[in-house]
Structure formats: structure tokens, C-alpha cells
């Protein structure tokens, strides 16, 4: 009986590790999507004569769609709690983007912008996860 409990606990632990790896993959996937479309948008900005005021909304839309895609990917590979795994993917995305920003010479501050990004990523990730788990 004890061996069965230990084996079940070990499977849950492995499942947790697999879930964390899946959320990490989804977050990296979302960051890659973001980088690709930001570079594409930068090229479009160089070629065309678009106003610089459009940069902030376009970047925000790219981030939202990237988080939703990463969360949907994670939830699609899961069997339950898609919204929770999607929200975790969104939070992990913000952490990864912050690390990339620091590594590329940016500064880090816990302020209202970071908190609003975290809230947005959590909500969008949860929505993407709910959609992803229901379309598989």
C-alpha cells in the first residue's frame, strides 16, 4: 500500500515537472512569436511612412496575440485546467521578456507598468488557455 502511494506521489511530481516544462515551452513560443512580429513590424516601419504613434498599440496587440497563442498551445497539450496553465504561461512570458530586456541593457523596476503587464498577461493567458483547451 505504501509503495502504491509513493508511486502515485512520484507520478504527480513527474506530472508537475512536465507541466512546468510545458508552460516554459509555451512562454518561449510566445516570446519567439513576439520577436518575429516585432522585427517584421520594424521592417514595415522602415519601408513605409507610418507615424510613430502607431508603435505602442501595435506592439501591445502583438504581445496580446503572442501570449494567447502560447497559452492556447499549452492548454492544447493539456487535459485539464487550461485557464490556469494559460495564466501561468502569461506570467512566465512577462518574466522572460523582463529578463531579455535586462540582458539587452534595459532597466528593471517593479512599477505600475510591470504590474499592468502582469495583469494583462494573466488575463490574456487565462483566456487563451480556456480557448486552447476547448478547441483540441
Amino acid at each position: 500500500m505504501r509503495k502504491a502511494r509513493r508511486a502515485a506521489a512520484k507520478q504527480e511530481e513527474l506530472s508537475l515537472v512536465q507541466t512546468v516544462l510545458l508552460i516554459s515551452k509555451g512562454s518561449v513560443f510566445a516570446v519567439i512569436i513576439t520577436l518575429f512580429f516585432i522585427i517584421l513590424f520594424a521592417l514595415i516601419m522602415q519601408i513605409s511612412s507610418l507615424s510613430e504613434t502607431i508603435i505602442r498599440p501595435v506592439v501591445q496587440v502583438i504581445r496580446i496575440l503572442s501570449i494567447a497563442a502560447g497559452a492556447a498551445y499549452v492548454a492544447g497539450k493539456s487535459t485539464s485546467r487550461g485557464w490556469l496553465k494559460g495564466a501561468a504561461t502569461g506570467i512566465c512570458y512577462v518574466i522572460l521578456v523582463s529578463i531579455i530586456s535586462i540582458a539587452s541593457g534595459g532597466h528593471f523596476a517593479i512599477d505600475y507598468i510591470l504590474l499592468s503587464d502582469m495583469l494583462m498577461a494573466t488575463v490574456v493567458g487565462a483566456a487563451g488557455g480556456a480557448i486552447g483547451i476547448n478547441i483540441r
Side-chain angles (χ1 to χ4, degrees), residues 69-93:
Y73 168 78
V74 169
K77 298 280 185 181
S78 302
T79 57
S80 65
R81 296 188 195 123
W83 67 272
L84 183 61
K85 292 174 184 171
T89 302
I91 292 169
C92 190
Y93 171 89

Side-chain angles (χ1 to χ4, degrees), residues 3-4 8 10-11 15 28 30 33 43 58 75 80-81 84 94 99-100 103 109 114 116 122-124 129:
K3 287 183 182 180
K10 195 164 194 162
Q11 282 180 339
S15 177
V28 169
I33 291 171
L43 292 173
V58 169
S80 65
R81 296 188 195 123
L84 183 61
V94 172
I99 291 170
I100 291 169
L114 178 67
S116 68
T122 303
V123 171
V124 170

Side-chain angles (χ1 to χ4, degrees), residues 55 58 107 116 118:
I55 293 173
V58 169
H107 70 283
S116 68
M118 198 69 80

Side-chain angles (χ1 to χ4, degrees), residues 11-131:
Q11 282 180 339
E12 288 177 19
E13 202 171 22
L14 183 63
S15 177
L16 178 63
V17 170
Q18 289 174 342
T19 301
V20 169
L21 286 174
L22 184 61
I23 289 170
S24 299
K25 272 188 198 177
S27 299
V28 169
F29 177 64
V31 169
I32 290 170
I33 291 171
T34 301
L35 290 174
F36 174 77
F37 282 106
I38 295 259
I39 290 169
L40 183 66
F41 178 63
L43 292 173
I44 291 170
M45 287 290 292
Q46 285 291 327
I47 294 170
S48 68
S49 60
L50 293 173
S51 170
E52 289 184 13
T53 59
I54 198 170
I55 293 173
R56 188 174 225 133
V58 169
V59 169
Q60 194 68 9
V61 168
I62 290 171
R63 291 178 67 204
I64 287 170
L65 294 176
S66 298
I67 292 168
Y73 168 78
V74 169
K77 298 280 185 181
S78 302
T79 57
S80 65
R81 296 188 195 123
W83 67 272
L84 183 61
K85 292 174 184 171
T89 302
I91 292 169
C92 190
Y93 171 89
V94 172
I95 292 169
L96 280 174
V97 168
S98 297
I99 291 170
I100 291 169
S101 174
I102 292 168
S104 64
H107 70 283
F108 180 77
I110 299 176
D111 55 0
Y112 73 93
I113 294 173
L114 178 67
L115 296 176
S116 68
D117 283 350
M118 198 69 80
L119 179 64
M120 179 269 306
T122 303
V123 171
V124 170
I131 291 167

